[in-house]
Amino acid sequence: MDTDARLSERDRSSDPGEGTERRSRSVRVHRRLPRDPWRRAGLGAGVCVLFLGLLGGFVVQPFLIPSRSMEPTLRVGDRVLVNKLAYRFGNQPRRGDVVVFDGTGSFVPEGDGGNPVTGLLRKAAATVGLAEPTETDYVKRVVGVGGDRVVCCDRRGRISVNGEAVDEGYLHPGDRPSRVPFDIAVPEGTLWMMGDHRDNSRDSRDHLGEPGGGMVPVEKVVGRADWIGWPYGRWSSIAHEPGRPAGKSRG
């Protein structure tokens, strides 16, 4: 009886049908294995995109420079890194800071956002530096803050802030401080913005006769542009300087 039982058990273990089924399961398992690295790669890419999105949304956002309005400080194609924490803890923009801001309501009329779906996708790509900024985002230099009186120009063609003439060493060579005369008082909580390439910049001067008078609310500031991160040969920090005092303005 014992011998028969062992023979019967051996016969079952050597059943060709069962062996074929095991090999089939083994083949199916092995066929699934090559897919796992792709899943891991996709998961890793998703985590990277999420990390970059969170980083760009709350800490440092890459910003592609699309125009010549800030030359020579910034050039077309530069990718600047915008410090979004610069004004988060009670700090305020200061004269001379290079900042990125949302121009909706000041440089761009309310409701001119275009297609909302396209705008959302573009904004997401811009957050990680893969696309140009949205049409309502600008980068300019702060020339006047709340409470300042900014005038252009004195007899020597210089801008004066609170009665003191300023030599703006960051201006594009050959540009005047402004070809448009103005005399404005900056309301509290707003900023007067101008590009460094004054002859090629649409800035606060272009909105003098509009509601708001070209003033940008402080809460519309996205952050301070602190570094040029790309291209390689342009790696550097960005100078935030209000210009050198040039003595009292007399006109």
Side-chain angles (χ1 to χ4, degrees):
M1 294 292 294
D2 292 342
T3 302
D4 292 341
R6 286 196 296 272
L7 288 173
S8 176
E9 181 178 350
R10 186 181 303 115
D11 289 343
R12 286 196 300 270
S13 65
S14 60
D15 182 2
E18 182 178 352
T20 301
E21 183 179 353
R22 287 178 180 174
R23 286 193 298 272
S24 177
R25 287 199 300 268
S26 176
V27 169
R28 286 198 296 272
V29 168
H30 285 295
R31 283 177 180 171
R32 291 193 193 104
L33 288 178
R35 298 180 185 177
D36 289 342
W38 291 106
R39 291 195 189 102
R40 289 195 293 271
L43 179 61
V47 170
C48 288
V49 170
L50 178 61
F51 173 76
L52 289 174
L54 291 173
L55 185 68
F58 298 101
V59 184
V60 177
Q61 179 180 344
F63 186 91
L64 179 64
I65 301 301
S67 74
R68 300 177 57 202
S69 69
M70 282 297 293
E71 290 180 344
T73 305
L74 303 174
R75 301 176 184 171
V76 175
D78 283 350
R79 280 180 169 82
V80 299
L81 302 180
V82 177
N83 180 0
K84 303 184 82 168
L85 299 179
Y87 308 121
R88 287 286 177 88
F89 304 103
N91 296 322
Q92 293 290 312
R94 299 179 299 178
R95 288 191 297 272
D97 284 0
V98 177
V99 303
V100 171
F101 62 93
D102 178 3
T104 304
S106 55
F107 283 28
V108 180
E110 296 280 359
D112 279 8
N115 187 308
V117 176
T118 303
L120 183 62
L121 293 174
R122 184 176 181 179
K123 185 173 183 179
T127 299
V128 294
L130 298 178
E132 290 188 4
T134 61
E135 294 179 358
T136 60
D137 287 343
Y138 294 83
V139 55
K140 304 293 179 187
R141 191 180 296 271
V142 178
V143 176
V145 298
D148 284 344
R149 182 185 177 190
V150 186
V151 180
C152 188
C153 296
D154 67 7
R155 293 177 182 177
R156 295 179 57 183
R158 300 170 300 187
I159 283 179
S160 67
V161 180
N162 300 327
E164 187 171 9
V166 177
D167 286 330
E168 302 176 283
Y170 43 75
L171 292 185
H172 189 280
D175 282 7
R176 299 179 188 176
S178 179
R179 296 182 186 273
V180 177
F182 56 84
D183 183 344
I184 55 97
V186 185
E188 293 293 341
T190 66
L191 305 167
W192 178 262
M193 303 286 207
M194 300 177 75
D196 289 357
H197 194 350
R198 298 285 163 79
D199 287 348
N200 197 22
S201 174
R202 292 185 59 82
D203 47 43
S204 291
R205 297 169 295 169
D206 295 279
H207 305 280
L208 281 168
E210 300 174 8
M215 308 297 173
V216 177
V218 171
E219 63 266 21
K220 290 288 190 176
V221 174
V222 175
R224 187 177 63 206
D226 280 347
W227 308 279
I228 299 175
W230 187 261
Y232 172 78
R234 294 273 294 157
W235 286 0
S236 63
S237 59
I238 296 172
H240 303 288
E241 53 177 302
R244 296 181 300 274
K248 283 285 184 179
S249 172
R250 297 183 179 177

